Amino acid sequence: MSLPNKKSSFVIPTIKSMQSRDPDMAQKSWEKLENAIQEIYKENAGTLSFEELYRTGYNMVLHKHGEFLYSQVQRTLTKRSEFLLDQAAQNIDETFLPAVKKIWEDYKRGLQMVRDILMYMDRSYVKQNNKKPVYDVGVETFGVTFLRSPRMKDRLRQLLLGLVKAERTGEKIDRNLLRSMTFILFEIGKDIYAEDFEKPFKEEMQLFYAYESQAFLEANSCPDYLKKVEARLREEYDRVHSCLPSDYAGGEGSIKQVAEHELIGKHKETLVDKDGSGLTRLLEDDKVDDLKRMYDLFSRVRGGGELLEDRVALFCLEKGKEIVLSTDNQADPLLYVRKLLELKERMDHFVKEAFKGERAFTNKTHRSFSEILNLYARSPEYISLAMDNYLRGGKGSSSAGSRGGSASSSKVGGTLGEVVTEEQVEAVLEKCLQLFRFLSEKDMFERYYKQHLAKRLLYDRSQSEEMERKVIQMLKTECGYQFTAKLEGMFKDVGTSKDVQERFGQLQQLHERRESGQIVDLQIKVLTTGYWPTTASSQVYRLPAEVEAVRGSFERFYLNQHNGRKLTWQLAQGSADVKAKYDKVYQINMPTQHMVVLMLFNEGGAGAAGGGEGATLTLAEIEKATGLSQSELKRVMQSLALSNFKLLSKEPKTKEVEATDKFTVNKGFTNRMIKFKMSVVAATKETNEEHQASRAKIQEDRGPQIDAAIVRVMKSRKTMNHNDLMVEVTKQLQSRFTPHPGDIKKRIEGLIGREFLTRSTSAMNVYEYVA
């Protein structure tokens, strides 16, 4: 029989408090209620009048027998729990848990009816005396007397943990039964559940996975082990979510944390270092899915994420060292940069795809790249050379023919695949600038980039002026206006030179002498000394007479318009378009040095060497006639006699040029192109001597910059100790270079000598600014 709905309860008339006239009233009333409770638990509630039973309990409380009633109910529920315990203990293991489940459900249903009968006691006596409600007393009594009795507690725990273990080992179990039993424990008391089941559950799980993980690890590779772990953790989550009232990820010491610690945390170093399948092998083989799984699992345990970050950064550093310290790579700047770009793209791919773009991985791999790029002193030069290759339109092997067969021009084309479109070029240049960011000597890069830009502008070798300006804008964004001010000034000079050239051309047309039909069209670029890297050449080139005449004419024209200025000719930076007659007339673009040498073999151009068409000249004779240095002349003669465009013949036919070698016009020269371009056969990088000279010049230029930084800091601080000044000056200069502490100290001493600073009289390591 079910209880009446609470909302449709019967009305009991108010009875004024009075002393019972029947001294046995309490005992008789209790016997009536006790008998009703027994009948409820015998499932005979249908024979009872709940209205009458409610009135009986009401009267007992009203007549001050609440304490007696409360204690008797408690005693009765205890006896009932003891009876149920004896009943449950008789079951074998196979029927024990279902029996306990049914016992609790029946007990709980009866307890709810008892609660309804004694509702008035809960509302008055229990509240007034801070007692537990009847239902809570019944639940607690069942928990203490039944569930936690020595005969029940261990057996129940062992059977429940046995179900869990059976499922872990692959057996099919009754999950509904497991869920019901664990929720019974939780309902009866969270402390009972935590102490009697959850704690042993964690301990059992810890032991199970300690053994299984060790066996897994010995029998499987790292990726296979991680897959098994991933599956095990999914199973545990599903088991807890479906069968247990526990919070799977409930903070410190949670089920999730215990499982992950046993399966991952205790073995993380072993997994990372596992021979043949650890982290290094996964990175080597680009196993992104396995790396993603490793990161996902490792990030769950303490120290796992940091371990991966450090090892990935170490992998990046070791791979980078292999690249920058390789003699093969050092010999080829474009190959050097290509391999670094490939490594950077590879590491970025790992961070994005495998490590979820985690900022810590990015920061640590960037620190590795910073160390890598600064291991080799020529990194700034090589990055600039790679960018120069692309800005000149280098496209790998496909451009070899148009570059006069230069072997080095084809190396970088495959950096990230075949670079053809302007968008692809821009993308690769942006990647080169990413490497630039890691340089500590950005001023070295600036020096080389300025040199390479100057050659592109002067020889009209730039593929796109728009692209050049984009790169300068990128550099300005990265390093500020001062870094690119001179580069922008170079573009301004080129524009101004066009206007000057146009005015001179108009003047030349009016006064030009045409003799024997020979016309020299001189194109001149006027450069501002401070912007361009060129310096006054120590070599005196002896230009052909017709070229020298036009050069002198322009100089007089320009100085007449700009009084007080001085022109210093940089002949080595120029080029010439020469018409040469072989099997047909070719129009050849070549550097000025080439033109000077080739004109010695021109018909009627005997000159000082006694040359002319058909003449044979030695290297020494050519050197004397032109004024070119022997080292420069050798490169010129290699280009003219040993490149794809053999305009001259050489005897003997060796690959090297010696002082006694003889040269003559190659009358058998032929080429399918009418117009083509030649260049000096030269290394794409500086020689060791040139590099040392560049470094010495940069070191010289850094001195005033360090001075300026020291003065700026001291002017704002007035007084500062030595260590703080060193730190602040280094911080200010890091955007261009990282000064050596010894250099800063020398500049401080120099400023003291020049009375910009003085030492404090109170402490020798404290400096004061002298206004």
Side-chain angles (χ1 to χ4, degrees), residues 48 147 157 286 324 328 358 429 436 485 506 540 572 684 697 701-702:
L48 302 176
L147 288 177
R157 181 182 67 246
D286 294 331
V324 301
D328 289 342
E358 180 61 42
L429 289 172
F436 159 76
Q506 293 171 354
V540 179
T684 56
K697 182 66 171 66
D701 293 342
R702 286 176 180 174

Side-chain angles (χ1 to χ4, degrees), residues 710 713-714 717-729 744 748 757-760 762-769:
I710 294 170
V713 173
M714 289 303 300
R717 300 290 183 87
K718 304 302 181 187
T719 301
M720 207 170 188
N721 69 49
H722 178 80
N723 290 337
D724 290 344
L725 179 59
M726 297 282 281
V727 170
E728 191 62 31
V729 169
I744 300 177
I748 291 173
L757 307 179
T758 184
R759 294 186 188 275
S760 173
S762 59
M764 290 297 290
N765 68 333
V766 176
Y767 305 112
E768 295 177 353
Y769 178 69

Side-chain angles (χ1 to χ4, degrees), residues 509-561:
Q509 288 177 2
L510 294 175
H511 300 90
E512 194 172 54
R513 293 183 179 179
R514 291 175 171 81
E515 297 178 2
S516 303
Q518 294 183 349
I519 301 175
V520 176
D521 181 12
L522 188 64
Q523 301 289 326
I524 296 173
K525 292 183 175 69
V526 182
L527 315 178
T528 304
T529 304
Y531 293 158
W532 297 77
T534 52
T535 57
S537 175
S538 59
Q539 294 191 43
V540 179
Y541 294 178
R542 297 192 181 96
L543 296 173
E546 53 268 54
V547 178
E548 176 61 29
V550 181
R551 186 199 67 78
S553 175
F554 176 83
E555 185 166 349
R556 291 188 296 274
F557 159 77
Y558 186 82
L559 295 179
N560 284 337
Q561 290 197 343

Side-chain angles (χ1 to χ4, degrees), residues 298-311:
F298 274 52
S299 61
R300 303 181 191 184
V301 299
R302 184 172 299 166
E306 291 81 358
L307 176 64
L308 279 186
E309 291 160 14
D310 292 339
R311 294 301 179 85

